């Protein structure tokens, strides 16, 4: 007697032949190896030039020398870049699926603006200058804006268009508030100027420990949403027919994106284009299946972020160019190219 395979297995066999799945798997392994190489480069290369011997000594035989201290700082910076990059990539992929807009990024729903506004408020009106304190303001600001977008977007009746419009409106209002506060308070402007462009220079073990639980929880939740988000990308009616709970999926997707982007922004400041570029590029060779897009985005987004950070250390020696500036410089032309290609494809 022949036993028919389950529908899910039949769909997988139709949508992704074994050879294609094998290619995707090999590509993911190669991506991990590329990430490992970039991580090692991030530890070895910096504004302060160290020999390979000093780097090796700082990694495995630390004795408190100048080189050891520099390597220790680079390790913290690299770990934070690894976590923040993965978080931004996953948040971008989730939001692109949620809004059905392949050019969406974490800033679309106002999460970056919420975190930035909360930090400016903490510095200007409460006199808080410690990163370990205002990181919580940033996270709470991101969470508050995420909740506002959800309710303004219609709550249980939320649609991708409503969510995007609500996020855009809130972002515009909050960025107006940011500019007004920083113009009126020059001291706040001086304290905020590095944080607002996005930077990994303030990475410490304490900062990583504070945001790590949120980042891990957000990553696990985002990866778990791959199947229901796949169903939603085929349209609400089709998703319902496949058994997806639309409201629950949207709530959890908003929660995952808010936690990931909020924690990353709290630790590094608002870093643009990472959550836009990587998921969009990944989709071009993985196809629309989020079960592959999300892992690839989690691996390749840190490659972009750490690579940009390395470039920023080299081009302005002995000073540094903040990573947020480098990603913006790289992301602008890429974004224009993506928009033009998308427009050409639609013609």
């Amino acid at each position: 007697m022949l036993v028919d395979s389950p529908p899910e297995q039949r769909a997988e066999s139709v949508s992704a032949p074994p050879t294609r799945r094998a290619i995707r798997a090999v590509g993911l392994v190669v991506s991990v190896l590329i990430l490992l190489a970039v991580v090692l480069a991030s530890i070895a290369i910096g504004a302060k030039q160290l020999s390979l011997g000093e780097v090796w000594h700082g990694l495995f035989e630390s004795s408190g020398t100048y080189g050891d201290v520099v390597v220790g700082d680079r390790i913290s910076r690299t770990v934070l870049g690894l976590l923040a990059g993965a978080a931004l990539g996953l948040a971008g992929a989730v939001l692109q699926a949620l809004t059905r807009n392949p050019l969406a990024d974490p800033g679309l729903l106002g999460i970056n603006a919420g975190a930035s506004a909360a930090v400016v408020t903490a510095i200007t009106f409460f006199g808080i200058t410690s990163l370990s304190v205002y990181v919580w303001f940033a996270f709470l600001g991101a969470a508050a804006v995420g909740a506002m977008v959800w309710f303004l977007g219609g709550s249980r009746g939320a649609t991708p268009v409503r969510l995007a419009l609500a996020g855009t409106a809130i972002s515009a209002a909050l960025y107006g508030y940011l500019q007004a506060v920083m113009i009126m308070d020059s001291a706040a402007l001086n304290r905020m100027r590095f944080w607002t462009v996005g930077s990994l220079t303030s990475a410490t073990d304490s900062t990583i420990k504070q945001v790590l639980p949120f980042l891990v929880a957000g990553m696990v939740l985002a990866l778990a949403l791959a199947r229901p988000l796949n169903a939603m990308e085929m349209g609400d009616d089709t998703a319902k027919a496949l058994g997806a709970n639309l409201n629950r999926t949207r709530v959890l997707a908003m929660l995952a994106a808010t936690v990931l982007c909020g924690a990353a922004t709290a630790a590094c400041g608002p870093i643009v284009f990472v959550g836009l570029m990587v998921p969009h590029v990944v989709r071009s060779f993985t196809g629309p299946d989020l079960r592959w897009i999300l892992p690839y985005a989690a691996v390749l987004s840190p490659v972009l972020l750490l690579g940009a950070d390395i470039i920023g250390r080299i081009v302005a020696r002995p000073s540094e160019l903040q990573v947020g500036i480098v990603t913006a410089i790289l992301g602008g032309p890429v974004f224009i190219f993506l928009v033009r290609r998308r427009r050409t494809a639609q013609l």
Side-chain angles (χ1 to χ4, degrees), residues 16-43:
T19 53
R20 187 175 181 184
R21 291 199 300 272
I23 292 172
R24 287 171 172 172
V26 171
L28 190 58
V29 172
V30 172
S31 299
V32 172
L33 294 177
I34 293 173
L35 176 59
L36 179 61
V38 173
V39 166
L40 294 176
S42 178
I43 297 172

Side-chain angles (χ1 to χ4, degrees), residues 155-273:
S155 189
R156 289 185 174 273
T159 63
V161 173
R162 287 180 180 178
L163 291 174
L165 289 175
T168 301
I170 292 175
S171 293
L174 289 178
Y175 279 124
Y177 165 76
L178 284 171
Q179 295 301 318
V181 171
M182 289 193 291
I183 288 173
M184 292 188 296
D185 188 343
S186 58
L189 176 60
N190 289 332
R191 290 193 295 267
M192 285 291 299
R193 61 194 179 98
F194 287 111
W195 189 86
T196 52
V197 298
S199 174
L200 298 176
T201 56
S202 58
T204 63
D205 292 342
S206 175
T207 303
I208 294 171
K209 289 177 182 178
Q210 288 177 34
V211 299
L212 182 60
F214 299 103
L215 292 173
V216 171
M219 289 177 189
V220 171
L221 180 57
L223 292 171
L225 289 172
R227 288 181 181 275
L229 285 173
N230 270 345
M232 286 182 59
E233 283 203 319
M234 293 185 287
D236 290 356
D237 293 337
T238 303
K240 289 178 181 178
L242 293 173
N245 187 320
L246 299 184
N247 288 327
R248 182 177 64 188
T249 301
R250 286 182 179 132
V251 169
L252 293 178
M254 280 287 298
L255 178 62
T258 299
V259 170
L260 288 170
C261 189
T265 304
C268 309
I271 297 176
V272 298
F273 286 118

Side-chain angles (χ1 to χ4, degrees), residues 2 6 69 129 135 147 168 178 202 255 272 285 290 325 341:
L2 296 177
V69 173
T129 57
V135 68
T168 301
L178 284 171
S202 58
L255 178 62
V272 298
F285 59 83
L290 283 159
I325 297 174
R341 190 179 72 169

Side-chain angles (χ1 to χ4, degrees), residues 41-50 74 310 313-314 317 320:
S42 178
I43 297 172
I45 301 172
K48 299 178 178 64
Q49 293 185 341
L50 298 177
R74 289 182 188 171
I310 293 171
R313 302 179 206 176
I314 295 174
R317 280 176 173 167
E320 294 186 18

